[in-house]
Amino acid sequence: MKKVISVLLSVVILFSLALSCSVSAVETTERFSINKINHTGALFSNNAVSIEKGDTYRTTISYPIKDRMGRLRVGVITANGRIIKPEPVDDYSVSVTIPDVDCDIYISVYTEDRDIEIVDGGTGYGMIVRNLKNVTSDTPNKIFSEKYGYEEFYTESGSFLWQETLTPVPGYEIKSVNAISQSATLYDYVDRNGVSHKGYGYSEENPKYSIEKHSDGSWTFSYVSYDSIYLEAVAEPIETEPTTPPKPTTPTVKKTTVNLQKASAKLYLKGSTKIKADVKNGVGKTTYKSSDKSIAKVDSNGKVTALKKGTAKITVTNNKVSKTFTVTVKKPFLNKTSLKIKKGAKFTLKVTGKVGKAEFLTSNKKIAAVNQKGKITAKKKGNATVTVKTNGIKLKCKVKVK
């Protein structure tokens, strides 16, 4: 029984290994196509039709009969717009090298026999390699794939105009149409005027093309040449203005303002004043606050009362908007604090800053008498003191009767 189990386990392991090898075998590396448009039978040293991603493609392209070569024109363009320059090897062949291949390759070759009469500017075949992003061409049957395509075309110098219409897919608009041309030619011929031409010419530039934008969103691409060209057209989604809901109307809130008719006042002890505040668009009740209640107090209606000498600030506030009212408190004073007077003379003592009634008293009415209007009468020689009770304090005047 143990032998049977052992054999079964061995079979399972061998089957698993075989399955693993089979899965590995079907795994393939990404490959790209090599598209050769060989118009007139040039010879390729590399006849591969595809290549692995990242590999280097190399080939030599030669005129089939060396001693009959008039022209060998080659164009090499990749599907993503890489323009590859063919390098001359000798008088009748060129080499092409494309490192790190990352997309399809297109090669166009045209040859002319030196015995054929050649007109300056020549005739020939080229190709168009298209890279259309969200764009279609009006020649869909000749598009190589959904994204890239090429078109063989024949030209006669100055007489052939290639045109195609490019249309964006629905919901898109064409943002750019660009093209670049390539011309690589080995030549060895005598023109109709008997002039010999031999050498290698290469150019890579923006071709002689024009584009016209139409009201329906399509563009016409026009091109005059027999070179190979790369055509790229890019369309992007049509931008639409976002519909935003109307902003909710918010009630206009009027700003609260506080203004004072007077910004300051001078008071004598026990004196008072009313702060007159002009409050507009107020919220709730206007408040009054003293910075020093021992100097000046204020009630809820803005009445300020002076309590002692000094300065205090009253803050008037409504809806967090404030203004400041400054109060300066002074003591009342007499017009004389000492007096020399002759017997029988009279002098009226006056109080500045008196609040309410003032009471006048004398320390010796036999020397200096005083009535409640502050009139002092000198009676006889001597010294006396006149005291005035006012504003909650006492003011004194020393009197000397001569």
Side-chain angles (χ1 to χ4, degrees), residues 127-129 153 160-164 166 174-182 204-213 219-234:
M127 67 177 174
I128 296 178
V129 177
F153 62 91
F160 181 83
L161 174 65
W162 171 262
Q163 285 187 321
E164 64 179 277
L166 304 172
I174 296 177
K175 290 294 187 179
S176 64
V177 177
N178 297 292
I180 189 168
S181 67
Q182 180 195 49
E204 181 181 315
E205 60 187 356
N206 288 330
K208 296 177 181 178
Y209 71 90
S210 64
I211 51 176
E212 182 182 0
K213 185 177 181 180
W219 295 43
T220 297
F221 174 78
S222 304
Y223 174 61
V224 179
S225 180
Y226 49 79
D227 297 337
S228 295
I229 63 173
Y230 171 75
L231 170 63
E232 181 180 80
V234 178

Side-chain angles (χ1 to χ4, degrees), residues 258-318:
V258 176
N259 291 296
L260 305 179
Q261 289 187 4
K262 288 171 54 177
S264 63
K266 294 180 180 180
L267 297 177
Y268 289 97
L269 291 175
K270 303 300 181 181
S272 64
T273 187
K274 179 74 162 55
I275 298 175
K276 295 181 179 180
D278 181 17
V279 179
K280 292 182 178 179
N281 304 315
V283 177
K285 193 174 182 180
T286 301
T287 61
Y288 302 85
K289 185 177 180 180
S290 173
S291 63
D292 193 334
K293 295 179 182 179
S294 65
I295 294 174
K297 67 179 181 178
V298 61
D299 66 13
S300 59
N301 296 315
K303 181 181 179 181
V304 180
T305 303
L307 300 179
K308 75 174 184 179
K309 183 179 179 181
T311 301
K313 294 184 181 296
I314 310 299
T315 302
V316 184
T317 304
N318 187 288

Side-chain angles (χ1 to χ4, degrees), residues 85-117:
K85 180 182 178 182
E87 297 292 345
V89 176
D90 48 37
D91 291 344
Y92 59 89
S93 60
V94 296
S95 65
V96 174
T97 302
I98 307 175
D100 194 20
V101 174
D102 59 354
C103 62
D104 295 338
I105 299 169
Y106 300 92
I107 303 174
S108 173
V109 184
Y110 172 75
T111 62
E112 284 179 337
D113 192 288
R114 74 166 44 154
D115 290 342
I116 297 176
E117 182 181 29

Side-chain angles (χ1 to χ4, degrees), residues 342-397:
K342 292 182 180 180
K343 180 181 176 181
K346 295 181 180 180
F347 179 83
T348 300
L349 198 60
K350 295 181 179 179
V351 181
T352 298
K354 179 184 68 170
V355 176
K357 292 183 178 181
E359 183 181 2
F360 295 85
L361 302 170
T362 180
S363 61
N364 193 333
K365 60 183 179 180
K366 291 181 178 180
I367 296 174
V370 62
N371 65 14
Q372 292 307 304
K373 292 184 178 181
K375 183 183 286 187
I376 298 173
T377 303
K379 296 290 187 177
K380 67 176 184 178
K381 291 181 179 182
N383 295 315
T385 298
V386 175
T387 301
V388 182
K389 294 181 179 181
T390 184
N391 297 46
I393 61 172
K394 294 178 181 181
L395 304 176
K396 294 184 178 183
C397 177

Side-chain angles (χ1 to χ4, degrees), residues 131-136 147 166-169 172-178 217 219 230-237:
N131 186 350
L132 306 179
K133 300 176 181 178
N134 302 312
V135 177
T136 60
K147 188 173 184 183
L166 304 172
T167 305
V169 300
Y172 284 70
E173 61 180 342
I174 296 177
K175 290 294 187 179
S176 64
V177 177
N178 297 292
W219 295 43
Y230 171 75
L231 170 63
E232 181 180 80
V234 178
E236 296 178 359

